[in-house]
Amino acid sequence: MKKAKEVILLLGSNVGQQSIIEKAKEQLGSILLPGWTSSQLLMTAPVGIVGPDFANEILTGATDQDYSSFLKATKNIERQMGRCPEDKALGKIIIDIDILLFDGMRYHEKDWERDYVQALMKK
């Protein structure tokens, strides 16, 4: 039996915002073990791009996948939902799924420092 690994994900969207976040959570349910939880939704100004405000949410849960498989699955979900590299230059992010923590290892260190991420982690 595979060991469950703790996961913290940061979801963001500035196109379709809350409805896109909800669809992403449904998709992520296929790779997260039952019992995952989500923070409140928080609207924020964009960071690093010019565009509409972002809806952001934190998901916490566990998976039995290894990091490489889990990362590939999150990127596949982004693509299936319509994310493409060209959109970022246009200030359009349909969905962004960042792995902040996987099995005790932190990723996206700059995101951990953002005020909105810290606020979402507390709620």
Side-chain angles (χ1 to χ4, degrees):
M1 183 167 137
K2 294 180 181 179
K3 175 185 168 253
K5 297 155 194 91
E6 180 186 9
V7 176
I8 300 175
L9 303 173
L10 174 61
L11 281 61
S13 172
N14 71 350
V15 177
Q17 296 148 322
Q18 188 170 1
S19 63
I20 292 292
I21 296 287
E22 290 302 317
K23 288 178 187 173
K25 289 181 349 187
E26 289 172 19
Q27 295 287 325
L28 287 163
S30 68
I31 59 172
L32 289 171
L33 297 172
W36 57 268
T37 60
S38 60
S39 69
Q40 70 179 35
L41 191 75
L42 184 63
M43 298 300 292
T44 62
V47 176
I49 65 170
V50 175
D53 284 353
F54 275 79
N56 299 282
E57 199 165 320
I58 295 277
L59 253 56
T60 57
T63 186
D64 57 4
Q65 295 187 18
D66 60 56
Y67 177 79
S68 179
S69 298
F70 192 81
L71 177 63
K72 182 185 263 187
T74 62
K75 296 307 164 194
N76 283 339
I77 290 169
E78 287 179 343
R79 277 191 298 280
Q80 289 170 6
M81 293 185 68
R83 178 155 184 189
C84 60
E86 302 79 30
D87 284 348
K88 188 171 185 177
L90 303 172
K92 176 177 153 182
I93 305 294
I94 293 174
I95 186 67
D96 185 30
I97 304 170
D98 288 336
I99 302 170
L100 296 182
L101 183 86
F102 189 93
D103 197 22
M105 180 71 113
R106 284 172 53 144
Y107 298 88
H108 296 277
E109 284 297 328
K110 287 185 179 180
D111 285 342
W112 284 90
E113 298 169 11
R114 299 189 197 286
D115 291 341
Y116 71 91
V117 172
Q118 292 177 17
L120 287 171
M121 292 281 201
K122 292 178 185 173
K123 300 185 183 212

